[in-house]
Amino acid sequence: MPSVQIKICGLTTREALDAAIAARADYCGFVFYPPSPRTLTPVAARDLADRAGARIGKVGLFVDPDDALLAQGVEAGSLDAIQLHGRETPARAAEVRARFGLPVWKAIPVTAAADIERAAEYREAADLILFDARTPKGALPGGMGLKFDWSLLAGYDSPIPWGLAGGLTPHNVCEAIRATRAPLVDTSSGVESAPGEKDIGKIAAFCAAVRSA
């Protein structure tokens, strides 16, 4: 099995970014969603992006954004990809990809097999599907430490590249990879000591666990 790619999402400090790079994560996630404790201002995003340079892929997370917010985030974060984490339709995902000329990752909340099947709707509109746990109504759309039934992805044959998110930690990510054969794993709260506060040791442990899976 090829090596599993790693994304550490919701980075807000230089120390956390440096830890992700040192642990050889493939992507870091910058959140542009004000209700989140991990959201970045354009100034903060620019500082992290400048520090990262080309050493790690930079993915911007947005929730039902308008074009103005997307443009601001893409510029400030020097983004390599745009992650849509709201109710964006395939048409909207395709529009964003065409307008900004960047790969689009579409997060799909999962509670049942039918949610996995929805990925096919985005095969012409997105470059990667990210299966995440569905959060309760009124809660943040991600970063809540919730996971879904990984057996729903057993034997999954995706029409486009995909990844797994939702409640992944240094302690369970090996099990998740073995259960799903996910080619990419994404964590946020799973490497935190408190909401929005990344734990340097947990970042290193998560990446080491993935590479040992």
Side-chain angles (χ1 to χ4, degrees), residues 149-166:
D149 181 1
W150 297 326
S151 69
L152 294 172
L153 283 167
Y156 177 60
D157 185 17
S158 176
I160 60 176
W162 64 281
L164 177 67

Side-chain angles (χ1 to χ4, degrees), residues 1-6 128 161-164 177 180-185:
M1 180 178 177
S3 61
V4 179
Q5 291 192 306
I6 302 168
L128 182 142
W162 64 281
L164 177 67
I177 291 169
T180 66
R181 310 294 286 179
L184 177 147
V185 289

Side-chain angles (χ1 to χ4, degrees), residues 91-115:
R92 176 58 175 157
E95 179 184 35
V96 168
R97 182 166 65 176
R99 184 178 298 274
F100 293 94
L102 291 172
V104 166
W105 296 17
K106 178 68 184 87
I108 293 182
V110 177
T111 54
D115 299 316

